Amino acid sequence: MSGNSPAGLTGLQSRPYREITLASVVLGSIVGVALTVSFTYAGLKLGFIVPASMVGAMLGLGVLRVVMKKGSIVENNINQTVAAAINVTSGGIIFTVPVLYLMQSEAAAKAPQIAAQASAAGLSVDEFLRKNPGLVQVLDGKMLAAIAAAAVAGSFLGVLFIIPSRKQMIEFERLTFPSGVATAQILKAVGAGPTRFRWLMTGITIAIVFALLTSLTTLFPSWKAPGWYQHHSEELNLGKILGLPASVAVVIAVAGGLTSLGGGYITGRAGLVMMVGAAIGHWMVTPLVVAKGWAPPEILAQLTAAASAKVGASSGPAFTERYETLAAGWAFKQVTRPLGVGMLLGGSVASVFLTAPMLFSAIRSIQKQRQAASEMTGKPAQAPQEMSPSLLWVGIAVSFLVLVIAGFLGGSQVSGARILLAAVVATVWMWLANIIVSIATGKTDNSPLSGMALITIVLIVSILGKEGAIVALLMAVSVCVATSQGSDMMQDLKTGHLVGAIPWRQQLTQIAVAWVGPLVSLVTLVLLSKKFLFGNDPLTAPQGQAIKAALEIFVPPPGTDPVTQQVAEAVPWRYLAGAVAGLALTLGAGGGLGVVLGLSMYLPMSVTLTYCTGCAVAWASEKLKGPAWVEDVGVPLAAGFLVGEGLAQVCVVFFDLARSAF
């Protein structure tokens, strides 16, 4: 009896194990939707998502084995495949779609009526918009439909494009796919399943309770919160407690803190390198700009006036603290963040160059394999464990048509022929990017998704010009979703290969649910935009900021006055300086170093410091308790923090909106 027998055999071999079952698909769908909601929130905060396969596998072991008292290892493999297929596309949405919201909030910040309202409230424009995110115009229905169509098309194409490479990458080249191997180990560790499930549920419960406690003022608007709660329910400013200058950020996240802590713990000590980028950005560059007064005189005068108006004085400790806070905000936004974004851009491009040899090697190997099989059989090779090639071609054709429709919905200023050309270029690049990312994931477990989106924008804007910026962004959405879906498919197929699953069954289930994740993530993102202003703590949307910066190189925003124009013209040079540094670091040291340092430079210190605290705790617990304890207790508990807090925050937003509506 073999778990790898092709469909159609008779007797016991036709169904050796419970595999595709109603329980596995329904459970995987429920878990996938819940994780998509949670990780959309987490990704907007952290700038990346963690693999959902392991969380799905732990939940599957708990529900299928502990609760339902049944379920085979390959049935749980289908459960985690479905959960991961739904969740993984959230990365493609949260890296790209927030760009449109960031553009809209920037436009709102320049509106005279918003400036007047902010002045009347005694707040800066940024602070005023953060407290009133509803003033930022929401995307209209047509644009949302275009985004949804592009994302769904990319989700299907990502799976369909990567399926023919399964045998080469997994069985011939035997790429590692670390997350896939880790998930297989969880599926095989039946004895540890109940323990991991209990700690996962404990983490979810703790995170939900914690998120509700930090959201009391939203849940009960009439409650008169004490001063300590108002000051520390969002973050704990250790720098202020230690008496450090306001320009030196030493901040621990409170609201959203368990998300950062859990993400850091799962990453482990390898994530501590992010503290290097954070120290460069928040403890060196920003304080230096503030101390040296490296800003146009008009900007310094504006900051002085704003600080004086806020505290009612032009000198003294309160004025100094307020001035340094405002100056640090300007320095971070105009200097530190562009340098960090540039490093991420340069690092992403370097990562593509580094994976190019692997891409060409894989393509040559696939061609040799097919040629050898053709010589032996006299006809093109077709592995019996794969889906039918004719079904793949039909799926690709239909998905491409949906992508073209998305371009027409979003590209009102672009001719039909040019939209069709953009879709063709994006689809070809999508296939190449899918292989690049899958190989990179297979070798290092790192997915340069944002780099793929950035290159897509460069390609499409170069073809269409600046009037095609929205079409370029839509194509970037599709490519980003496709590459995340394709690399996840290969991770799941690696898991299936190790536990004896039948490949075509996994492929079929992933295709069946590929459309769900993008829509759930998009709805969640729109819901979160009702309460949070993207680009600000806690939902900084760091990858969206990077893509927006790249887009503005080709389509710079118009300045409203000479000073603003002067500042805007200086920013691209900082992007360029950062890009050169990121390119050199990644090419020289490898490992995506430029991407990691750039990301941590422009993330808020509250996110990075809390995240690195989680990394340090993971390192310490491994030393004190051992790797087995980390795998069976620490990681499930941390995964629960990620899942629970995101779910609770989305529910709080939904409750607040529902109360306002009724």
Side-chain angles (χ1 to χ4, degrees):
M1 183 172 8
S2 170
N4 287 324
S5 300
L9 297 183
T10 57
L12 291 176
Q13 285 186 316
S14 63
R15 44 177 185 169
Y17 303 108
R18 288 169 56 89
E19 191 162 357
I20 298 181
T21 64
L22 181 63
S24 64
V25 174
V26 171
L27 175 62
S29 298
I30 294 172
V31 172
V33 169
L35 292 180
T36 301
V37 172
S38 300
F39 289 3
T40 298
Y41 172 87
L44 286 168
K45 182 175 181 64
L46 298 175
F48 57 88
I49 60 174
V50 298
S53 299
M54 290 182 284
V55 179
M58 284 186 281
L59 284 170
L61 280 173
V63 175
L64 294 174
R65 292 289 181 91
V66 178
V67 178
M68 300 179 66
K69 307 295 183 183
K70 60 182 180 180
S72 68
I73 189 171
V74 288
E75 181 181 14
N76 196 9
N77 181 55
I78 291 295
N79 155 66
Q80 69 84 14
T81 296
V82 171
I86 292 175
N87 167 77
V88 73
T89 53
S90 61
I93 295 294
I94 61 179
F95 290 175
T96 53
V97 178
V99 173
L100 296 172
Y101 284 91
L102 293 170
M103 289 177 171
Q104 289 181 338
S105 62
E106 188 174 86
K110 295 178 179 178
Q113 62 270 30
I114 298 294
Q117 294 177 46
S119 178
L123 300 170
S124 69
V125 173
D126 288 341
E127 290 172 328
F128 182 73
L129 285 175
R130 182 181 172 185
K131 290 180 178 295
N132 300 275
L135 294 175
V136 178
Q137 262 190 338
V138 180
L139 299 176
D140 60 32
K142 186 177 179 181
M143 181 54 65
L144 285 173
I147 295 170
V152 169
S155 192
F156 282 117
L157 287 171
V159 179
L160 296 168
F161 277 151
I162 207 62
I163 284 174
S165 301
R166 181 201 69 84
K167 201 171 191 68
Q168 177 63 33
M169 291 188 188
I170 293 177
E171 296 185 14
F172 288 90
E173 297 198 0
R174 299 182 181 275
L175 297 182
T176 306
F177 291 102
S179 291
V181 173
T183 303
Q185 291 173 345
I186 292 173
L187 293 176
K188 292 176 180 179
V190 178
T195 300
R196 291 174 177 174
F197 177 70
R198 285 194 297 271
W199 282 107
L200 178 67
M201 297 309 297
T202 299
I204 291 174
T205 303
I206 292 173
I208 290 175
V209 172
F210 183 80
L212 293 177
L213 289 175
T214 59
S215 303
L216 290 177
T217 52
T218 301
L219 294 170
F220 307 102
S222 59
W223 177 52
K224 300 296 183 181
W228 62 266
Y229 183 90
Q230 295 178 8
H231 292 146
H232 302 305
S233 60
E234 290 191 2
E235 61 184 29
L236 178 61
N237 192 336
L238 296 178
K240 185 175 182 179
I241 295 174
L242 295 172
L244 297 174
S247 59
V248 180
V250 184
V251 186
I252 292 287
V254 176
L258 289 185
T259 298
S260 300
L261 195 69
Y265 192 96
I266 291 172
T267 304
R269 65 178 181 177
L272 287 172
V273 70
M274 291 189 69
M275 244 353 268
V276 177
I280 293 172
H282 293 276
W283 296 345
M284 294 175 62
V285 176
T286 298
L288 188 62
V289 172
V290 174
K292 296 295 184 179
W294 288 340
E298 295 87 351
I299 296 295
L300 296 176
Q302 291 174 14
L303 295 173
T304 301
S308 178
K310 179 67 176 179
V311 301
S314 57
S315 61
F319 168 80
T320 300
E321 180 183 350
R322 182 60 181 171
Y323 173 81
E324 287 188 347
T325 300
L326 293 175
W330 184 91
F332 176 74
K333 184 176 180 180
Q334 302 296 337
V335 181
T336 307
R337 190 166 68 184
L339 287 172
V341 170
M343 288 184 68
L344 186 142
L345 297 177
S348 297
V349 173
S351 296
V352 173
F353 283 132
L354 291 175
T355 55
M358 292 185 286
L359 167 64
F360 296 134
S361 175
I363 293 175
R364 286 195 298 269
S365 297
I366 292 171
Q367 290 173 341
K368 290 180 180 179
Q369 173 200 349
R370 290 175 177 172
Q371 181 180 0
S374 178
E375 291 173 354
M376 292 177 61
T377 63
K379 58 182 179 180
Q382 179 180 334
Q385 293 180 327
E386 313 297 338
M387 290 186 62
S388 166
S390 59
L391 181 59
L392 294 180
W393 283 114
V394 170
I396 290 171
V398 173
S399 300
F400 174 76
L401 179 61
V402 174
L403 182 60
V404 173
I405 293 173
F408 275 98
L409 288 173
S412 57
Q413 298 180 343
V414 182
S415 67
R418 296 171 73 198
I419 288 176
L420 182 61
L421 176 61
V424 170
V425 171
T427 303
V428 173
W429 166 238
M430 191 185 300
W431 171 70
L432 292 171
N434 216 357
I435 296 177
I436 291 171
V437 172
S438 294
I439 293 173
T441 303
K443 287 182 174 289
T444 67
D445 218 22
N446 292 320
S447 299
L449 298 182
S450 57
M452 303 300 107
L454 292 170
I455 293 173
T456 305
I457 288 175
V458 172
L459 288 173
I460 303 304
V461 172
S462 298
I463 294 171
L464 302 183
K466 64 180 182 180
E467 65 272 14
I470 297 300
V471 174
L473 185 60
L474 289 172
M475 298 302 155
V477 170
S478 191
V479 169
C480 205
V481 169
T483 50
S484 62
Q485 190 71 274
S487 60
D488 174 73
M489 177 85 266
M490 295 304 288
Q491 292 275 21
D492 290 340
L493 288 171
K494 179 69 173 185
T495 301
H497 178 73
L498 294 174
V499 302
I502 299 175
W504 71 262
R505 292 182 177 176
Q506 281 187 273
Q507 295 162 5
L508 180 64
T509 52
Q510 185 135 358
I511 289 174
V513 300
W515 59 274
V516 178
L519 300 183
V520 173
S521 184
L522 185 58
V523 170
T524 304
L525 185 144
V526 172
L527 188 65
L528 289 171
S529 72
K530 304 292 185 180
K531 180 182 179 182
F532 302 106
L533 185 68
F534 298 155
N536 294 268
D537 201 20
L539 301 186
T540 55
Q543 300 286 7
Q545 292 188 48
I547 293 174
K548 173 178 175 289
L551 189 58
E552 287 178 346
I553 294 175
F554 299 93
V555 190
T560 55
D561 56 69
V563 176
T564 303
Q565 188 68 31
Q566 178 186 354
V567 172
E569 288 174 353
V571 168
W573 291 102
R574 294 170 191 140
Y575 290 142
L576 179 61
V580 171
L583 190 71
L585 280 170
T586 303
L587 291 177
L593 185 60
V595 174
V596 174
L597 294 184
L599 178 66
S600 55
M601 275 186 68
Y602 71 83
L603 277 173
M605 176 56 84
S606 60
V607 173
T608 309
L609 187 55
T610 311
Y611 173 85
C612 289
T613 300
C615 297
V617 171
W619 189 6
S621 60
E622 184 176 0
K623 293 291 185 182
L624 295 173
K625 294 287 189 177
W629 187 92
V630 172
E631 291 180 5
D632 294 340
V633 179
V635 170
L637 186 67
F641 289 169
L642 276 171
V643 176
E645 188 165 27
L647 273 176
Q649 288 287 359
V650 172
C651 289
V652 167
V653 175
F654 182 79
F655 173 80
D656 191 36
L657 293 175
R659 179 179 54 203
S660 301
F662 299 104

